[in-house]
Amino acid sequence: MTDMVKGHYSVSRRKFFAAKILGVLSALVAVLWALTQYLFPEPMIYLYGIWRPEYFVAFMAIVVVCTSLSLCIWSYLKNRYLFGVVVVLAYSISCFSFFILGKEYHSPDFVAGLPKTTSEGGAVYLQGVEIHHNNCVRQGGTVQCRMTVTNRRSRQKVRLSSWRLIMKDGAVFKEYEAFRGGQEVRGMVYLELPRGSEAELEIVFFEVPENYTEILNLGFKAGSKEFGFKNINVR
């Protein structure tokens, strides 16, 4: 009888320590991700040079699988009935998650790059070309928005056009001049960038009243697709 009690106690202790380890690992992952999001609000921007969009899908798939397995192990250690419920839920959620990942993977927007519209200081991507917004500065009645265009993959031609400022009250300003490296660009901004090279762009908008201090959206076209940056403070 004593041996049975000791054996049961030993199994309980193993289950307890296994549950604790899983809990600590889950908390550690959550804390690390929170710190990463705090230090790098858009971590994929910094990893995009070495991460392809396909890698991101694979990473998310691994997260889904590991999370499902952890929940199944935890529920098995807790209660057999709870284990049955968790298995069904984990299976259903995993199937739905993989459906969403597959849908995103086959989306033309995702294959062309990562996020399309980001906040100030972020970047948008077009087939490996990164368009990074630096800042918008007011000088009298003009607003100057500066950007850096970088080719992250291969030789690429980029056509940028239809620049516009959209304000909080719906006002739209479309009159602008474009400059590349200080030189005025007539008509459409056309860039041919070898891999790893970058170009500095400055778009100057005219007759923007001084009461506008925040831009709802800085929009433009890259080829036939719409892109933009949102919620930009004018300095």
Side-chain angles (χ1 to χ4, degrees), residues 147-198:
M147 275 145 285
T148 303
V149 183
T150 307
N151 185 0
R152 296 293 188 189
R153 289 192 184 176
S154 59
R155 189 174 182 84
Q156 185 73 38
K157 298 178 181 179
V158 187
R159 293 175 298 169
L160 304 175
S161 62
S162 301
W163 297 89
R164 63 199 177 279
L165 293 181
I166 303 175
M167 303 301 182
K168 286 284 189 179
D169 62 354
V172 181
F173 298 91
K174 295 184 178 180
E175 185 181 351
Y176 70 89
E177 287 184 2
F179 298 85
R180 178 182 178 181
Q183 300 295 319
E184 184 177 354
V185 179
R186 298 287 182 179
M188 182 181 298
V189 178
Y190 181 82
L191 304 173
E192 188 168 350
L193 300 173
R195 181 173 183 175
S197 62
E198 63 180 35

Side-chain angles (χ1 to χ4, degrees), residues 66 75 79 85 110 120 142 231:
C66 291
S75 62
N79 184 285
V85 174
F110 185 84
E120 181 181 9
T142 66
N231 299 329

